């Protein structure tokens, strides 16, 4: 289910204070990057991803692929940073960025 504008607004305000937990570089979406994506989304629900890729179209394609593979929703893209959200039904409230910053 896509995010509502109210949810996006709330997640953007939470994401503003987050540091990137995942970095994608010129090697692209390697097996290690995808494993870390899965772990980060499972633990934190809302994560910030930094993409050290110069080409804008390539960067946006990588973001779309991250969302597709991670079954996540894109909240926001600013420059080389993307904010990604995936609901976790068995959430750890001490790790979840959504629950910690509400």
């Amino acid at each position: 289910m896509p995010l509502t504008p109210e949810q996006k607004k709330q997640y953007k305000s939470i994401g503003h204070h987050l540091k990137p937990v995942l970095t994608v570089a010129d090697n692209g979406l390697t097996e290690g990057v995808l494993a870390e994506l899965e772990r980060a989304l499972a633990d934190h629900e809302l994560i910030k991803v930094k993409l050290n890729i110069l080409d804008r179209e390539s960067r946006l394609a990588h973001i779309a692929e991250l969302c597709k593979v991670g079954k996540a929703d894109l909240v926001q893209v600013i420059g080389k940073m993307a904010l990604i959200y995936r609901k976790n039904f068995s959430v750890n409230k001490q790790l979840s960025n959504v629950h910690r910053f509400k």
Side-chain angles (χ1 to χ4, degrees):
M1 186 166 90
L3 297 173
T4 66
E6 293 82 24
Q7 287 174 313
K8 282 190 177 186
K9 184 177 178 183
Q10 177 189 10
Y11 296 156
K12 285 177 187 179
S13 68
I14 293 170
H16 179 74
H17 303 288
L18 298 178
K19 294 194 181 335
V21 296
L22 183 65
T23 302
V24 179
D26 290 330
N27 291 339
L29 303 179
T30 63
E31 194 172 299
V33 168
L34 296 177
E36 183 61 22
L37 171 72
E38 183 60 34
R39 185 211 56 81
L41 285 172
D43 286 348
H44 303 295
E45 291 185 294
L46 182 68
I47 63 168
K48 191 180 273 188
V49 179
K50 182 174 184 177
L51 294 108
N52 287 333
I53 300 170
L54 294 177
D55 181 43
R56 186 172 194 264
E57 284 76 29
S58 178
R59 199 168 45 235
L60 292 175
H62 278 80
I63 292 169
E65 186 66 22
L66 280 172
C67 291
K68 181 181 171 190
V69 170
K71 298 179 182 95
D73 292 313
L74 180 63
V75 177
Q76 182 180 35
V77 175
I78 297 178
K80 293 183 178 184
M81 296 287 190
L83 193 60
I84 298 174
Y85 171 77
R86 181 179 75 191
K87 178 142 182 74
N88 186 351
F89 294 102
S90 59
V91 65
N92 180 344
K93 293 185 181 194
Q94 294 175 335
L95 292 177
S96 172
N97 290 324
V98 174
H99 290 287
R100 287 189 310 144
F101 293 107
K102 269 191 177 177

